[in-house]
Amino acid sequence: MLNHIAKDDARERVSVADLFTAMGDRAFGALILIFALPNIVPTPPGTSAITGAPLVFLCFQLMLGMQPWLPKFIANRSMSHGDFKAIIARITPWLARGERFLKPRWEGLVRPPAEYGLGLMAFILAILLALPIPLGNMLPALALSLFAFALLEKDGIYALAGSAVFVISVVVVGGVVLALAKAALLLLHSSF
């Protein structure tokens, strides 16, 4: 489906609404995967801002057990068709590798109420991903992608793997934010 949009050269831009429409009534997993997976690899600046906002909304809804929807100000965000095509070309091999290992197992970890816990972790990760931290979006995007795979195939092993990467992401991104804050305070203190 993503390759079909990427090959449609008549498009000048690809919006979040285009992706949302293409997915139709697919599960949260597919929508989260679409917006998280491009951030695993280095992408053009601003990509995480475009994909982060829908992730925040989707993960919040997952956490509360709601149906997926996006407000217009997010749905209308877009990127050039060329950038979208480049991102899809980079993520397709990762997607194919991940799908080979998926199968339903330990399903209790990806069904309510455990699914709401995944939603909470995903919500925190989506906020981290949306922050403008250089290369700070890769680990949260990886954890979100693992959660998405878990939801798509009801695979509890992927939910556990995503939870482990969640912990690592929070520690690493938190450390980066703390270091940046300390550096800013040191710079501010030294200028007075």
Side-chain angles (χ1 to χ4, degrees), residues 7 11 14 32 34 38-39 41 50 56 59 68 78 110 114 119 122 124 136 142-143 152 154-155 165 181 187:
K7 290 177 184 175
R11 295 175 184 264
V14 177
I32 291 171
I34 284 172
N39 293 289
V41 296
I50 292 169
V56 170
C59 295
S78 67
V110 288
I124 293 166
L142 175 61
L152 281 168
K154 301 298 180 201
D155 193 334
V165 178
L187 185 62

Side-chain angles (χ1 to χ4, degrees), residues 128 131 133 136-137 139-140 168-178:
L128 293 177
L131 295 175
I133 300 171
N137 56 349
L139 280 173
I168 294 167
S169 298
V170 169
V171 169
V172 169
V173 174
V176 169
V177 169
L178 184 62

Side-chain angles (χ1 to χ4, degrees), residues 28 60-69 116:
F28 274 107
F60 183 73
Q61 293 166 36
L62 175 64
M63 178 178 71
L64 297 179
M66 300 168 61
Q67 293 296 314
W69 67 272
Y116 307 142

Side-chain angles (χ1 to χ4, degrees), residues 32-132:
I32 291 171
L33 187 64
I34 284 172
F35 296 115
L37 204 55
N39 293 289
I40 290 178
V41 296
T43 55
T47 302
S48 66
I50 292 169
T51 59
L55 280 168
V56 170
F57 276 91
L58 290 168
C59 295
F60 183 73
Q61 293 166 36
L62 175 64
M63 178 178 71
L64 297 179
M66 300 168 61
Q67 293 296 314
W69 67 272
L70 294 173
K72 284 191 178 197
F73 76 92
I74 292 176
N76 291 335
R77 289 185 177 203
S78 67
M79 68 174 62
S80 75
H81 179 261
D83 286 345
F84 180 78
K85 193 172 186 176
I87 290 169
I88 295 304
R90 282 192 224 151
I91 66 170
T92 299
W94 290 87
L95 190 57
R97 283 187 202 120
E99 287 179 329
R100 284 194 307 228
F101 300 106
L102 290 168
K103 61 183 170 188
R105 54 192 163 183
W106 296 10
E107 293 180 38
L109 295 174
V110 288
R111 295 202 186 279
E115 183 179 84
Y116 307 142
L118 293 180
L120 173 62
M121 289 187 284
F123 178 65
I124 293 166
L125 290 166
I127 292 169
L128 293 177
L129 188 140
L131 295 175

